[in-house]
Amino acid sequence: MGIEEAKKAAAIAAADFIQNGMIVGLGTGSTANFFIEALADRVKSGLDLKGVVPSSKATQELAFRLNLPVQDINHVPRIDITVDGADEIDPLKRMIKGGGGALLREKILASNSKEMIVIVDETKIVQNLGAHKLPVEILFYGSPATRHKLETLGYRGRWRMTDEGAFFFTENANLILDIAFEAPPVYPEEDHEQISHVPGVIETGFFFNLAGRVIVGYQNGRVDIRQ
Ligand code: A5P
């Protein structure tokens, strides 16, 4: 077994928690894709979902292709469970997300769900957040000034670029600044606050107090569910 199988094992375990009549938020990324496939398999076997709400175009396309009942976030009252991956998660279930650039919509879904189930392979488990760069979504208007302001506060990063060398724009038409920490942040909540207070910052990839159950898939085939 390898990493892909570990992600898939966590995803399949998460699909078992979905019940008839639920509205399910769908995260973005390779692990979330395995969940969407596992969920579609359950629907084929008779699970009757009220709807699924995607966090990105890629997720929406996959959900449509697998005949899941896609709904617009603006037309659902509340989401029952959102299932999503993470780039890093620590023992306090604090996370860094946004490697795929969908952090803002992912956070909106997670914040409006009765529960967020996080699915990760074992490589995402960390003692301290910050080895991975922190994605920060930034309004294009005034973005050099916003970046400069962040630098004066000690947050240095690079604009995310596409493979073709153009600026990467999120689905909300914003930029992503990937901030690198020289040492793991001791109080990530304070960093989140400081960064968020800079005008032009839309959202950070820190996710706090959102994760419910965390399902970890291991390369030896084991799945661990942390309540
Ligand atoms: C998407 O913007 C991210 O938050 C993903 O959830 C995160 O990068 C995990 O992606 P993988 O499951 O592909 O590792």
Side-chain angles (χ1 to χ4, degrees):
M1 286 200 45
I3 294 289
E4 296 307 297
E5 283 77 14
K7 291 179 185 182
K8 196 169 177 178
I12 290 170
D16 284 343
F17 288 112
I18 308 303
Q19 295 171 6
N20 285 335
M22 281 188 168
I23 296 181
V24 181
L26 304 177
T28 294
S30 55
T31 320
N33 285 349
F34 282 127
F35 169 74
I36 296 165
E37 285 167 6
L39 188 63
D41 285 345
R42 284 211 53 210
V43 167
K44 273 188 217 138
S45 310
L47 177 70
D48 184 18
L49 291 177
K50 194 163 174 199
V52 296
V53 183
S55 56
S56 64
K57 281 181 195 150
T59 290
Q60 178 168 302
E61 275 164 24
L62 180 60
F64 271 131
R65 204 159 62 236
L66 296 174
N67 294 316
L68 289 170
V70 175
Q71 292 206 21
D72 188 322
I73 177 80
N74 293 352
H75 297 148
V76 298
R78 188 158 162 79
I79 298 161
D80 291 293
I81 294 181
T82 285
V83 180
D84 202 353
D87 298 312
E88 293 184 348
I89 182 161
D90 77 0
L92 298 176
K93 297 186 184 175
R94 299 179 295 191
M95 296 180 275
I96 286 184
K97 285 181 53 56
L103 61 129
L104 177 58
R105 295 186 187 199
E106 290 172 339
K107 201 177 267 190
I108 290 172
L109 291 194
S111 307
N112 289 289
S113 301
K114 289 181 196 149
E115 183 184 4
M116 176 192 201
I117 296 181
V118 177
I119 47 174
V120 288
D121 65 80
E122 58 187 295
T123 65
K124 308 292 184 56
I125 306 292
V126 297
Q127 273 310 307
N128 300 294
L129 297 177
H132 197 277
K133 292 191 180 74
L134 174 73
V136 177
E137 184 150 352
I138 290 181
L139 193 73
F140 179 71
Y141 180 92
S143 49
T146 305
R147 180 184 181 173
H148 178 70
K149 181 79 180 159
L150 286 167
E151 282 175 356
T152 63
L153 294 170
Y155 300 105
R156 300 192 172 275
R158 292 182 177 216
W159 295 120
R160 190 174 297 183
M161 308 298 281
T162 65
D163 291 341
E164 292 74 37
F167 284 108
F168 173 91
F169 280 91
T170 69
E171 290 176 15
N172 318 303
N174 299 313
L175 296 174
I176 297 274
L177 187 68
D178 287 305
I179 291 177
F181 290 99
E182 281 168 18
V186 183
Y187 301 110
E189 288 85 355
E190 287 181 8
D191 292 300
H192 170 77
E193 284 302 310
Q194 280 215 58
I195 295 169
S196 302
H197 276 122
V198 174
V201 170
I202 307 285
E203 191 52 84
T204 85
F206 280 131
F207 280 52
F208 305 130
N209 303 313
L210 287 170
R213 282 167 284 193
V214 178
I215 306 182
V216 187
Y218 292 85
Q219 294 183 57
N220 64 8
R222 192 164 66 89
V223 170
D224 182 21
I225 300 176
R226 302 181 185 180
Q227 299 291 332

